[in-house]
Amino acid sequence: MTGQIPFLEQGPAPDGSPQALALEQLSRALHLREAAADTREAEMAQREKALLVLEDATRAKEAQEQQTAAQLREANERLVMATMHAQTMAEAAEGATAQMSYMAKHDILTGLPNRALLADRLAQSMLLAQRHDQKVVLIYLDLDNFKHINDSLGHAVGDALLRAVAQRLNGSVRQSDTVCRQGGDEFVLLLAEVDTVKDAARAAAMLVEVSSEPYVVDGHRLHVTASIGLSIYPDDGADVETLLRNADTAMYHAKKSGRNNFQMFSPDMHVRAVARQTIEAALRHALASDGLLLHYQPKMHLESGKIIATEALVRLQRPDQPLLYPAHFIGVAEECGLIVPLGQWVLHTACSQAVAWRQAGLACGRMAVNISAAEFHAKGFLLGIQTVLKDTGLDPGMLELELTESSLIQDSEPTTAILRALKDLGVHIAIDDFGTGYSSLSTLRRFPIDTLKIDQSFVQDIASSHGEVKLVNAIIAIGKSLDLGVIAEGIETREQFTHLQTQGCAEGQGSYFSRPLAAEIYADVLRDNAL
């Protein structure tokens, strides 16, 4: 066959022949070639395997490096976040500290300095005034009848009004002055570097005028006035507490002088302040130790001359001193928060006495008790009336509550509800001191009242004032037209009695008939009345 190796074509060569040797060598060469090929393949396989391992290692390394890089990035991000958070927390802590420092020295509602900051500024102003031979004026300002607005329109309107007042006061003084909210409806103004007392008086007069201008708050047009007291450094005190106390004392005198005015502190005010404190202490002692007393005054039917009702009037007993009358201590009781427990004592004692007289066969008529505005609007007032009637056993129809006009015009809806509840019980309602307040005919028609009580100031001037005569006649006519009873208080003369009787006033009360008497003496009057 063409192309074949010749000695392969001739069949097997004999052993030991050159041909056999060549074949053997050739076979060995082929085996070597195959072995070499196998070796190369194995080497290739090893190389491929090594390459794969290397690639795997490279990928693993890259993955590890990527993972490490990712972890480093994450750690770095966390570190950055932690740093930012720490910075934010530090800033928040600094802000909270600053806020707490601000709140410690400022009023939260108005943003004005509070008493603590005022005391610091006052102390600094006093040092400067001493160096420059000037004065420092401390003005204590209290809003008149602010509680009426709070009670009738709610605390939200009251708070808005306080903010408006703060803003107006701030705009009425110099930048070097300080306006502070003392608490409630009280403000204190510090006027630094004042030359004369007249300058202080002019500033106070200006504040009285500014405060009386109307405010528009949440759609309400509100009218408030201010009572202002002044103390001056160094004239009225050489330290912060003394100046504050004296300005406060002067402010109370402004209130007692009719409100809507200012008073400058004077030493005699301190004497009166001490007297007030003495009365307050006596009141507290009397409430705790049976130191109160009731006197009783008859209400007369002018035509028949018979007693138709009895009014209970409280007196304050003090050891080795004369009895103190309501005009001297009721205002103090209202200021120091004792008017409600005082009123509760009067009501319970009067009702118990009425029952005792009735059981003794003595007819005192309805028992009339004065109720202050604070009592009437106090929480639990109606329940208190019901409890007293139940405890004492007094027929509700034999109780008459005398309320002032000012106490009725506040908070009209709750007022009407309480009055109707009292009427449902059978209690009689009278408007005391009628003509001195702000009642309108619509108010009289809306409220379920029984009697109008003409204020004694009108009755006393019947003989000397034609205008008072007309006013008294008009009140009597109003009562008749509204089917209300009318009683005149403070009748002291025959002339007053005759005029009232002529005008058709059915009932009267006053010293012309009898002064207020102790219970045991009044019992004799009741016995004589029964004859």
Side-chain angles (χ1 to χ4, degrees), residues 365-416:
R366 289 190 301 275
M367 178 61 73
V369 177
N370 290 281
I371 302 295
S372 70
E375 289 178 83
F376 185 77
H377 292 284
K379 185 178 180 180
F381 168 73
L382 182 61
L383 178 60
I385 297 293
Q386 294 170 326
T387 301
V388 168
L389 291 173
K390 182 179 178 180
D391 289 347
T392 60
L394 181 66
D395 180 353
M398 300 306 295
L399 175 63
E400 181 175 72
L401 301 181
E402 296 189 0
L403 304 163
T404 62
E405 290 179 82
S406 60
S407 66
L408 294 180
I409 63 172
Q410 309 172 31
D411 220 4
S412 60
E413 290 186 10
T415 294
T416 302

Side-chain angles (χ1 to χ4, degrees), residues 114-131:
N114 62 13
R115 181 174 179 136
L117 184 54
L118 173 73
D120 289 342
R121 293 186 179 177
L122 179 55
Q124 295 173 13
S125 297
M126 289 163 60
L127 288 174
L128 289 173
Q130 188 176 14
R131 291 176 188 172

Side-chain angles (χ1 to χ4, degrees), residues 2 18 58 109 115 131 177 223 258 273 314 317 330 356 369 406 457 489 493 517-518 521:
T2 307
T58 302
L109 177 63
R115 181 174 179 136
R131 291 176 188 172
D177 300 327
H223 294 267
V314 67
Q317 301 180 94
I330 290 298
V369 177
S406 60
S457 62
E489 64 176 335
T493 67
L517 303 169
I521 301 174

